[in-house]
Amino acid sequence: MRLRTALCSAVSALSALALLSACGSGSTTASSSDTPLVGVDYPRSDTDFWNSYIKYTPQYGKELGLDLKTTNSQNDVAKLTANAQTFISQGVKGLAMAPQDTAAIAPTLAQMEAKKIPVVTVDTRPDTGKVFMVVRADNRAYGEKACQYLGTKLGGKGKVVMLQGGLDSINGRDRTEAFNECMKKNYPDITVFGEATNWDGAVAAQKLQTRLTQHPDIKGVYMQSSFALSGTLQVLKQKGLLVGPEDKKHVFVVSNDGIPEELKSIAAGKIDATVSQPADLYAKYALYYLKAAIDGKTFKPGKTDHDSTIIQVRDGLLEDQLSAPLVTADGGTYGGVPSVKSDDKSLWGNNLG
């Protein structure tokens, strides 16, 4: 099923983004009265991934003819709630947010719904409540891809550490559950040590160091986000394990995000794989769906025209699951999972300039 929207008939052959502009005043530069004001709350600015998202957002806002107001909730749901009140007072017509605590955001979503202000959530999906669209990749697939890569590289045997994100987030839960289920089903002889880190790099490094001291024969690490990259590399270096994949002491490391530093580390043989979470497309389609909501468009489950699938998570909640490929040095297939090479120019991490 193709993506269905109520589009301007005179320009139905154009691309979706062009249509959103064409359905306005017809001018390439909208006047202030024709430029909807929308709010964007950035969840944090202490990681390369989210700083990339922050960089892309104004670019796509300009392309879509949107006037942006932005805040940063700094991984604090109370600040996000307060920021939402500010946006309401500023008269925004829509709001994009990325709540890191996916349960506690429910009252704020209910308030926005009551005021008929459409909300798009980015990267995370609220546990309850309604939003116009969730823009997210399939986070269970992240865990499964990491499992298949490590399971293949370890030959189905050995020990791995999983540096989990925050389990108060649907992302942390999805990646953790999928990785564990995949390992249990496909690689039952691999022991998984799960370590909760709350997306904190210092905590992740400390817990990895402890596990490696207790179990020096650990051969794999799954980092659920690039937040743990620098600490992991430091710990491996301290223990004399930061060696190339051709060395028998090599510890296979898989990450999630696809930031430039991960891609460089794959090319250098310091880590082995990542899943490229699309920071650029998160910004692009968060604003795309806000503009669509303001324009009165609706969507249904099915394939889209931008290489993704809209699924119905529950009644009244749709999620556009954007593509997030496995990235490796050789572009090979692991446990049936294809990958792209770390120097592939289609990856946003290779195009930041």
Side-chain angles (χ1 to χ4, degrees):
M1 184 185 299
R2 300 294 293 171
L3 182 67
R4 297 179 182 175
T5 61
L7 301 174
C8 300
S9 59
V11 288
S12 60
L14 298 179
S15 70
L17 286 175
L19 280 165
L20 288 175
S21 298
C23 292
S25 64
S27 170
T28 56
T29 304
S31 66
S32 58
S33 61
D34 295 328
T35 305
L37 177 65
V38 301
V40 179
D41 182 82
Y42 302 132
R44 56 198 302 173
S45 55
D46 58 348
T47 70
D48 288 342
F49 177 82
W50 284 113
N51 282 332
S52 298
Y53 172 77
I54 290 170
K55 178 181 178 181
Y56 283 117
T57 298
Q59 171 188 329
Y60 288 115
K62 183 177 181 180
E63 289 184 12
L64 287 163
L66 297 171
D67 186 13
L68 303 184
K69 292 283 188 181
T70 63
T71 56
N72 192 319
S73 54
Q74 300 174 336
N75 206 28
D76 185 333
V77 72
K79 290 181 180 179
L80 175 53
T81 298
N83 292 343
Q85 305 310 310
T86 299
F87 285 132
I88 291 171
S89 69
Q90 291 172 334
V92 299
K93 302 300 183 183
L95 174 58
M97 63 169 70
Q100 302 298 286
D101 186 329
T102 52
I105 196 60
T108 299
L109 295 180
Q111 183 182 21
M112 302 302 284
E113 183 182 11
K115 291 185 176 295
K116 301 188 184 306
I117 299 174
V119 174
V120 171
T121 64
V122 182
D123 179 54
T124 63
R125 182 178 71 225
D127 294 354
T128 59
K130 294 182 179 180
V131 298
F132 181 77
M133 183 69 73
V134 176
V135 175
R136 187 172 176 251
D138 182 351
N139 277 246
R140 288 191 61 85
Y142 291 6
E144 291 165 0
K145 290 174 181 180
C147 160
Q148 294 291 2
Y149 183 85
L150 287 175
T152 299
K153 283 296 187 180
L154 271 61
K157 297 180 179 180
K159 300 174 182 178
V160 303
V161 176
M162 173 169 53
L163 299 174
Q164 301 162 323
L167 298 182
D168 58 353
S169 162
I170 185 68
N171 290 357
R173 295 195 299 272
D174 274 0
R175 297 175 199 186
T176 296
E177 291 169 4
F179 186 83
N180 282 333
E181 289 171 10
C182 171
M183 280 293 182
K184 184 177 181 180
K185 177 182 178 181
N186 299 293
Y187 307 104
D189 292 330
I190 291 180
T191 300
V192 178
F193 300 113
E195 300 289 354
T197 70
N198 197 33
W199 310 112
D200 187 313
V203 173
Q206 182 270 320
K207 290 192 173 183
L208 176 60
Q209 187 170 41
T210 299
R211 281 295 185 185
L212 282 170
T213 299
Q214 296 170 340
H215 302 273
D217 55 344
I218 284 170
K219 298 301 292 181
V221 177
Y222 170 36
M223 308 182 299
Q224 289 190 0
S225 167
S226 59
F227 76 93
L229 178 62
S230 63
T232 294
L233 294 180
Q234 184 178 10
V235 170
L236 292 177
K237 184 176 181 179
Q238 288 173 348
K239 291 189 171 293
L241 300 174
L242 192 59
V243 294
E246 71 286 346
D247 193 309
K248 65 179 182 180
K249 293 191 297 182
H250 181 75
V251 176
F252 291 94
V253 179
V254 181
S255 187
N256 282 163
D257 276 345
I259 63 171
E261 194 60 34
E262 286 176 320
L263 303 183
K264 293 175 185 176
S265 294
I266 292 172
K270 295 179 180 179
I271 71 171
D272 302 273
T274 189
V275 178
S276 181
Q277 184 169 224
D280 55 341
L281 299 185
Y282 279 1
K284 179 177 182 177
Y285 287 103
L287 296 176
Y288 165 82
Y289 284 114
L290 277 187
K291 181 68 161 57
I294 293 167
D295 290 346
K297 297 179 172 60
T298 59
F299 299 87
K300 296 180 179 180
K303 295 291 185 181
T304 74
D305 58 1
H306 49 270
D307 192 30
S308 67
T309 302
I310 294 176
I311 65 168
Q312 181 168 319
V313 178
R314 56 180 180 265
D315 185 38
L317 187 67
L318 297 176
E319 177 173 305
D320 188 354
Q321 296 192 327
L322 302 177
S323 177
L326 178 67
V327 181
T328 62
D330 62 1
T333 297
Y334 296 89
V337 178
S339 69
V340 300
K341 290 186 177 181
S342 60
D343 61 356
D344 194 302
K345 293 302 180 183
S346 69
L347 298 171
W348 68 267
N350 287 324
N351 293 295
L352 284 178

